[in-house]
Amino acid sequence: MTIAQRERAALVATLREQTPDAPTLCDGWDARDLAAHLVVRERRLDAAPGILIPAFADYTERVQKNVASSTDWDELVGQVASGPPLYSPFKLLDPIANVAEMFIHHEDVRRARPGWEPRPLDDQTASALRRPVQMMARMTLRKAPATVVLATPDGDTLATLGKGGPRVQVTGDPGELLMFAAGRDEARVDFDGPADTVAAVKNSRAGL
């Protein structure tokens, strides 16, 4: 089983513990909406582009709402569990493209509940999350009004980006840095830099 498959299985197990209206960290989405997003992303080639391309976003939203409202909860979660179908480009890309996707959305469900704590990650999973940190940060922090450095507690720099200016270092384990780069304030990270600049960096994230 690949890391992406393990993260998918963990997400599905958590979804099956929830009711469809359980909260998530995704603004405006409950658990049903999040599951519908994953199904549309992998199974609706006509609607998936709108997830990243604003010009198609309205159509994608309509399709997602229809999938969410017309599909039984158990069936919806089952479609997430079964993974991308043969016709989906994610079938071949799953080991690479879905590590971050499944990890982030699993944490979106977990961390919307009170009393959550970060999951202990094995070395293989933590290592696999390092590359997505840089890729995500390039999309979400490129307009940050500072020089933003994302680093692990052992001093390994995973990304340096932003528009220049005061330096802000964000320190955390790879999974926590990924959550921060994805726009989640529930990431367990530490900040080093001027308080006003740290606030500006947080607010500048283009959350996904």
Side-chain angles (χ1 to χ4, degrees):
M1 183 178 286
T2 66
I3 295 169
Q5 289 170 335
R6 291 209 316 256
E7 286 299 310
R8 183 188 296 273
L11 165 61
V12 167
T14 298
L15 286 173
R16 285 177 170 154
E17 295 173 352
Q18 308 302 308
T19 58
D21 60 353
T24 76
L25 299 186
C26 300
D27 188 30
W29 286 4
D30 58 19
R32 180 186 292 278
D33 296 318
L34 188 150
H37 158 75
L38 293 172
V39 168
V40 169
R41 177 176 175 268
E42 295 185 332
R43 294 171 175 266
R44 288 294 302 266
L45 302 186
D46 60 318
I51 294 172
L52 293 176
I53 303 173
F56 304 121
D58 288 347
Y59 176 66
T60 299
E61 183 178 3
R62 290 197 300 272
V63 172
Q64 181 174 310
K65 286 182 177 179
N66 181 63
V67 169
S69 63
S70 64
T71 311
D72 175 78
W73 172 239
D74 288 339
E75 180 183 352
L76 195 62
V77 176
Q79 289 179 1
V80 176
S82 63
L86 288 175
Y87 61 79
S88 172
F90 287 103
K91 189 66 176 179
L92 290 176
L93 296 174
D94 184 67
I96 299 172
N98 277 334
V99 173
E101 183 80 7
M102 298 301 150
F103 176 84
I104 291 170
H105 285 318
H106 183 200
E107 295 304 315
D108 283 338
V109 180
R110 290 186 68 251
R111 300 186 187 203
R113 298 181 292 179
W116 68 269
E117 290 293 334
R119 285 183 293 145
L121 302 179
D122 59 65
D123 291 343
Q124 189 180 20
T125 301
S127 178
L129 293 174
R130 295 169 80 92
R131 184 177 180 185
V133 168
Q134 185 177 71
M135 296 172 63
M136 180 68 70
R138 285 178 178 172
M139 291 190 290
T140 63
L141 286 163
R142 65 186 183 279
K143 295 183 179 180
T147 298
V148 183
V149 178
L150 304 183
T152 62
D154 59 5
D156 189 7
T157 297
L158 301 189
T160 301
L161 52 145
K163 298 174 68 175
R167 184 179 188 274
V168 170
Q169 179 162 315
V170 186
T171 303
D173 293 329
E176 300 305 313
L177 292 174
L178 182 61
M179 293 296 288
F180 171 78
R184 275 53 168 184
D185 289 333
E186 291 75 7
R188 293 281 179 87
V189 294
D190 295 318
F191 299 96
D192 183 14
D196 57 341
T197 308
V198 169
V201 167
K202 290 180 180 179
N203 291 333
S204 71
R205 288 172 298 174
L208 297 176

